[in-house]
Amino acid sequence: MSTTPVQASAASAATAAATTATGLPANQTINQQQFLTLFLAQLKNQDPLSPLQPDQLTSQLAQFSSLEQLTGINSRLDTLAGNFKQDTTGALIALIGKQVSFDGSQIGLKAGKAPDIGYTLAASADKVTATIRNSSGQVVRTVELGPLGPGEHTFKFDGRSGNGALLADGTYKVEVTLSAKGNDAPTQLSLLATDTVEGVDMTSSTPSLLVGGREIGLDQVKQVR
Protein backbone atom coordinates (compact mmCIF):
# COMPACT_ATOMS: atom_id res chain seq x y z
CA MET A 1 0.00 0.00 0.00
CA SER A 2 1.49 3.43 -0.98
CA THR A 3 1.73 6.38 1.41
CA THR A 4 0.07 9.61 0.40
CA PRO A 5 1.79 12.96 0.96
CA VAL A 6 -0.84 13.86 3.55
CA GLN A 7 -0.19 10.67 5.57
CA ALA A 8 3.59 11.08 5.38
CA SER A 9 3.33 14.69 6.48
CA ALA A 10 1.05 13.79 9.39
CA ALA A 11 3.33 10.98 10.51
CA SER A 12 6.38 13.26 10.38
CA ALA A 13 4.54 15.93 12.32
CA ALA A 14 3.47 13.43 14.96
CA THR A 15 7.00 12.12 15.37
CA ALA A 16 8.49 15.60 15.56
CA ALA A 17 5.85 16.79 18.02
CA ALA A 18 6.28 13.72 20.19
CA THR A 19 10.07 14.01 20.23
CA THR A 20 9.89 17.71 21.05
CA ALA A 21 7.25 17.20 23.72
CA THR A 22 8.95 14.33 25.50
CA GLY A 23 12.53 15.41 24.91
CA LEU A 24 13.52 11.80 24.21
CA PRO A 25 14.99 10.19 21.11
CA ALA A 26 13.32 7.17 19.53
CA ASN A 27 13.53 3.73 21.22
CA GLN A 28 14.13 5.16 24.71
CA THR A 29 12.03 4.21 27.73
CA ILE A 30 9.39 6.75 28.74
CA ASN A 31 7.42 7.28 31.91
CA GLN A 32 3.70 7.77 32.36
CA GLN A 33 3.70 11.55 31.80
CA GLN A 34 5.85 11.24 28.69
CA PHE A 35 3.54 8.56 27.31
CA LEU A 36 0.49 10.78 27.79
CA THR A 37 2.31 13.65 26.08
CA LEU A 38 3.21 11.38 23.18
CA PHE A 39 -0.32 10.00 23.00
CA LEU A 40 -1.88 13.50 22.86
CA ALA A 41 0.63 14.55 20.21
CA GLN A 42 -0.34 11.51 18.16
CA LEU A 43 -4.04 12.47 18.39
CA LYS A 44 -3.32 16.10 17.51
CA ASN A 45 -1.20 15.26 14.49
CA GLN A 46 -3.04 12.26 13.13
CA ASP A 47 -4.03 12.15 9.48
CA PRO A 48 -7.57 13.58 9.25
CA LEU A 49 -8.19 11.39 6.19
CA SER A 50 -7.25 8.25 8.14
CA PRO A 51 -7.71 8.88 11.87
CA LEU A 52 -6.94 6.31 14.54
CA GLN A 53 -9.87 4.00 15.29
CA PRO A 54 -11.29 3.87 18.84
CA ASP A 55 -10.15 0.27 19.27
CA GLN A 56 -6.57 1.31 18.38
CA LEU A 57 -6.63 4.05 20.98
CA THR A 58 -8.05 1.71 23.60
CA SER A 59 -5.44 -0.93 22.79
CA GLN A 60 -2.54 1.51 23.25
CA LEU A 61 -3.89 2.72 26.59
CA ALA A 62 -4.47 -0.86 27.79
CA GLN A 63 -0.96 -1.95 26.82
CA PHE A 64 0.64 0.94 28.66
CA SER A 65 -1.57 0.36 31.72
CA SER A 66 -0.61 -3.35 31.84
CA LEU A 67 3.08 -2.54 31.46
CA GLU A 68 2.91 0.06 34.21
CA GLN A 69 1.22 -2.40 36.56
CA LEU A 70 3.85 -5.08 35.86
CA THR A 71 6.64 -2.59 36.43
CA GLY A 72 5.10 -1.63 39.76
CA ILE A 73 4.76 -5.28 40.78
CA ASN A 74 8.38 -6.03 39.86
CA SER A 75 9.55 -3.01 41.82
CA ARG A 76 7.63 -4.12 44.91
CA LEU A 77 8.92 -7.70 44.57
CA ASP A 78 12.50 -6.43 44.34
CA THR A 79 11.95 -4.41 47.50
CA LEU A 80 10.48 -7.41 49.32
CA ALA A 81 13.34 -9.65 48.17
CA GLY A 82 15.90 -7.13 49.41
CA ASN A 83 14.18 -6.83 52.79
CA PHE A 84 13.93 -10.63 53.08
CA LYS A 85 17.65 -11.04 52.32
CA GLN A 86 18.56 -8.46 54.96
CA ASP A 87 16.31 -10.15 57.55
CA THR A 88 17.73 -13.59 56.70
CA THR A 89 21.32 -12.34 56.93
CA GLY A 90 20.64 -10.78 60.31
CA ALA A 91 18.99 -13.96 61.61
CA LEU A 92 21.90 -16.13 60.45
CA ILE A 93 24.55 -13.86 61.96
CA ALA A 94 22.62 -13.96 65.25
CA LEU A 95 23.21 -17.74 65.34
CA ILE A 96 26.99 -17.32 65.71
CA GLY A 97 28.02 -18.50 69.19
CA LYS A 98 24.81 -20.44 69.74
CA GLN A 99 24.49 -24.20 70.20
CA VAL A 100 22.77 -26.07 67.38
CA SER A 101 21.79 -29.72 67.12
CA PHE A 102 21.96 -31.53 63.78
CA ASP A 103 22.24 -34.97 62.20
CA GLY A 104 25.06 -36.73 64.07
CA SER A 105 25.81 -39.45 61.53
CA GLN A 106 28.53 -37.14 60.13
CA ILE A 107 30.68 -34.93 62.34
CA GLY A 108 33.58 -32.59 61.86
CA LEU A 109 36.85 -33.15 63.71
CA LYS A 110 39.02 -30.09 64.32
CA ALA A 111 42.21 -30.14 66.41
CA GLY A 112 41.04 -33.31 68.13
CA LYS A 113 37.69 -31.83 69.08
CA ALA A 114 34.36 -33.29 67.95
CA PRO A 115 30.76 -32.43 68.85
CA ASP A 116 28.90 -34.44 71.49
CA ILE A 117 26.65 -37.08 69.95
CA GLY A 118 23.35 -37.84 71.61
CA TYR A 119 21.16 -40.91 71.19
CA THR A 120 18.16 -42.45 72.93
CA LEU A 121 17.52 -46.04 73.98
CA ALA A 122 13.90 -47.12 74.19
CA ALA A 123 14.86 -50.11 76.36
CA SER A 124 17.91 -51.57 78.04
CA ALA A 125 20.67 -52.78 75.72
CA ASP A 126 23.23 -55.49 76.51
CA LYS A 127 25.80 -53.94 74.21
CA VAL A 128 26.17 -50.52 72.66
CA THR A 129 28.96 -49.86 70.17
CA ALA A 130 30.16 -46.65 68.47
CA THR A 131 32.01 -46.99 65.15
CA ILE A 132 33.95 -44.14 63.56
CA ARG A 133 34.82 -44.15 59.84
CA ASN A 134 36.89 -41.73 57.78
CA SER A 135 35.75 -40.15 54.49
CA SER A 136 36.89 -43.30 52.63
CA GLY A 137 34.67 -45.53 54.77
CA GLN A 138 37.54 -47.16 56.67
CA VAL A 139 36.98 -47.88 60.36
CA VAL A 140 39.40 -45.75 62.40
CA ARG A 141 37.94 -46.37 65.85
CA THR A 142 35.51 -48.70 67.60
CA VAL A 143 34.33 -47.83 71.10
CA GLU A 144 32.40 -50.25 73.30
CA LEU A 145 29.99 -48.18 75.36
CA GLY A 146 28.90 -51.20 77.38
CA PRO A 147 25.42 -52.22 78.52
CA LEU A 148 23.14 -49.22 78.98
CA GLY A 149 19.69 -48.59 80.35
CA PRO A 150 16.81 -46.81 78.60
CA GLY A 151 16.86 -43.06 78.14
CA GLU A 152 19.08 -40.38 76.65
CA HIS A 153 22.84 -40.92 76.37
CA THR A 154 25.83 -38.99 75.03
CA PHE A 155 28.89 -40.27 73.19
CA LYS A 156 31.96 -38.04 73.49
CA PHE A 157 34.49 -38.82 70.79
CA ASP A 158 38.08 -37.92 71.77
CA GLY A 159 39.31 -37.59 68.18
CA ARG A 160 41.80 -40.47 68.41
CA SER A 161 42.25 -43.68 66.47
CA GLY A 162 42.29 -47.20 67.93
CA ASN A 163 46.01 -46.96 68.71
CA GLY A 164 45.64 -43.59 70.43
CA ALA A 165 46.95 -41.39 67.60
CA LEU A 166 45.26 -38.05 67.02
CA LEU A 167 43.18 -38.22 63.85
CA ALA A 168 43.47 -35.63 61.09
CA ASP A 169 40.95 -32.83 60.82
CA GLY A 170 38.05 -33.61 58.54
CA THR A 171 34.62 -35.17 58.32
CA TYR A 172 33.95 -38.57 59.90
CA LYS A 173 30.98 -40.90 59.84
CA VAL A 174 29.55 -42.17 63.12
CA GLU A 175 27.39 -45.20 63.82
CA VAL A 176 26.01 -46.23 67.19
CA THR A 177 24.44 -49.68 67.33
CA LEU A 178 22.84 -51.71 70.10
CA SER A 179 22.45 -55.42 70.64
CA ALA A 180 19.96 -57.13 72.91
CA LYS A 181 19.57 -60.71 74.07
CA GLY A 182 17.74 -62.88 71.55
CA ASN A 183 18.51 -60.46 68.72
CA ASP A 184 21.67 -61.26 66.79
CA ALA A 185 21.35 -58.33 64.35
CA PRO A 186 22.51 -54.99 65.84
CA THR A 187 20.16 -52.02 65.59
CA GLN A 188 21.50 -48.69 64.34
CA LEU A 189 20.36 -45.64 66.31
CA SER A 190 19.48 -42.14 65.23
CA LEU A 191 22.13 -39.63 66.31
CA LEU A 192 21.96 -35.95 67.16
CA ALA A 193 25.18 -33.93 67.35
CA THR A 194 25.44 -30.63 69.23
CA ASP A 195 28.08 -27.97 68.64
CA THR A 196 28.67 -24.22 68.53
CA VAL A 197 28.12 -22.12 65.39
CA GLU A 198 31.45 -20.55 64.45
CA GLY A 199 30.35 -18.61 61.38
CA VAL A 200 28.04 -18.34 58.39
CA ASP A 201 28.87 -19.06 54.76
CA MET A 202 26.77 -16.93 52.40
CA THR A 203 28.84 -17.33 49.23
CA SER A 204 26.33 -19.74 47.68
CA SER A 205 22.63 -19.30 46.95
CA THR A 206 21.83 -21.45 49.99
CA PRO A 207 23.52 -20.17 53.19
CA SER A 208 25.12 -22.69 55.56
CA LEU A 209 26.49 -22.68 59.11
CA LEU A 210 30.13 -23.32 59.97
CA VAL A 211 30.04 -25.80 62.85
CA GLY A 212 32.91 -27.86 64.18
CA GLY A 213 35.07 -27.42 61.11
CA ARG A 214 32.37 -28.31 58.57
CA GLU A 215 29.41 -26.71 56.84
CA ILE A 216 25.91 -27.55 58.02
CA GLY A 217 22.92 -26.80 55.81
CA LEU A 218 20.03 -25.00 57.46
CA ASP A 219 17.79 -27.96 56.60
CA GLN A 220 19.96 -30.17 58.83
CA VAL A 221 19.50 -28.05 61.94
CA LYS A 222 17.09 -29.64 64.41
CA GLN A 223 17.43 -27.38 67.44
CA VAL A 224 18.94 -24.02 68.37
CA ARG A 225 19.92 -23.21 71.94
Side-chain angles (χ1 to χ4, degrees):
M1 179 178 179
S2 61
T3 303
T4 65
V6 174
Q7 291 175 319
S9 175
S12 300
T15 302
T19 303
T20 302
T22 61
L24 291 172
N27 300 325
Q28 185 168 337
T29 303
I30 62 175
N31 58 27
Q32 182 181 25
Q33 183 59 46
Q34 291 167 337
F35 171 81
L36 292 176
T37 301
L38 179 62
F39 185 71
L40 291 175
Q42 183 182 20
L43 292 178
K44 181 179 179 181
N45 294 279
Q46 66 180 320
D47 182 3
L49 300 180
S50 181
L52 292 173
Q53 298 300 314
D55 57 339
Q56 292 178 299
L57 300 177
T58 303
S59 175
Q60 291 186 26
L61 290 173
Q63 289 177 11
F64 182 79
S65 177
S66 298
L67 180 60
E68 186 181 29
Q69 290 178 12
L70 290 175
T71 301
I73 292 174
N74 288 337
S75 177
R76 287 191 290 272
L77 288 176
D78 289 341
T79 301
L80 288 174
N83 293 339
F84 177 76
K85 184 175 182 180
Q86 291 180 353
D87 293 343
T88 301
T89 301
L92 291 174
I93 293 177
L95 291 176
I96 297 177
K98 292 186 177 296
Q99 294 276 316
V100 293
S101 297
F102 50 93
D103 178 19
S105 61
Q106 288 193 25
I107 61 171
L109 183 64
K110 186 177 181 181
K113 295 182 179 180
D116 292 343
I117 301 173
Y119 57 95
T120 302
L121 297 179
S124 297
D126 299 316
K127 181 181 180 181
V128 179
T129 305
T131 303
I132 313 297
R133 290 183 169 84
N134 60 19
S135 57
S136 299
Q138 299 174 326
V139 176
V140 296
R141 180 78 179 275
T142 300
V143 181
E144 297 296 341
L145 303 177
L148 294 174
E152 297 182 352
H153 300 274
T154 301
F155 169 52
K156 295 181 178 292
F157 179 45
D158 60 8
R160 297 184 179 275
S161 65
N163 59 15
L166 191 65
L167 293 169
D169 291 356
T171 300
Y172 291 82
K173 299 178 182 179
V174 182
E175 294 179 1
V176 176
T177 58
L178 65 85
S179 300
K181 291 181 178 180
N183 186 2
D184 296 332
T187 302
Q188 188 169 329
L189 301 174
S190 296
L191 307 177
L192 197 64
T194 302
D195 208 344
T196 302
V197 178
E198 302 167 341
V200 179
D201 183 2
M202 303 188 66
T203 57
S204 62
S205 58
T206 304
S208 57
L209 304 179
L210 304 179
V211 182
R214 63 185 294 253
E215 294 186 11
I216 302 296
L218 296 178
D219 58 338
Q220 299 180 44
V221 177
K222 308 299 182 183
Q223 297 177 356
V224 178
R225 301 174 184 175

